[in-house]
Amino acid sequence: MGTFADIQLSLEQEGNDGDLALAHAKPALKQPSLYQVLLLNDDYTPMEFVVEVLELFFYMNREKATQIMLTVHTQGKAVCGVYPRDIAETKMLQVNDFSQQNQHPLLCQIVAADE
């Protein structure tokens, strides 16, 4: 293996003037997979608590939170948001922990958005 001076001399002799041409390859970036955060209905959690959860963890205004709560109540579940996996899991855990701390059986789960 030659020294740096030997390599530089070799490049200069090839007519490259010591400059190397580098091709900048663009990395192939892929969008992260998205997950739906679902709120599940139960027969015990007060509707007002569900609205509070939607306002607190999903930053919904009162009107939107009430609409989602009614969807959960009438259809058994509703999508609260769509996020990359780590954020969706965090939101799910936050909601489930908050519900347990407040002695409510309200549950949240995540599913792949393409399902």
Side-chain angles (χ1 to χ4, degrees), residues 15-71:
N16 291 332
D17 297 328
D19 293 331
L20 292 176
L22 298 176
H24 293 284
K26 287 190 175 187
L29 298 178
K30 180 182 165 192
Q31 291 287 348
S33 297
L34 296 177
Y35 290 80
Q36 295 177 334
V37 180
L38 301 175
L39 207 52
L40 306 178
N41 189 41
D42 64 74
D43 293 332
Y44 303 101
T45 303
M47 292 180 176
E48 187 57 36
F49 182 79
V50 177
V51 170
E52 180 184 352
V53 164
L54 292 166
E55 291 173 333
L56 184 62
F57 296 104
F58 299 96
Y59 309 109
M60 294 181 188
N61 62 34
R62 173 74 52 168
E63 183 180 341
K64 179 69 175 174
T66 302
Q67 289 174 351
I68 298 294
M69 176 274 298
L70 289 172
T71 301

Side-chain angles (χ1 to χ4, degrees), residues 81-107:
V82 180
Y83 307 95
R85 185 180 184 114
D86 57 339
I87 295 172
E89 286 178 344
T90 299
K91 294 228 180 247
M92 176 188 69
L93 292 173
Q94 288 174 330
V95 169
N96 291 343
D97 287 346
F98 186 71
S99 295
Q100 283 183 343
Q101 289 170 4
N102 287 278
Q103 300 175 342
H104 293 297
L106 182 67
L107 286 177

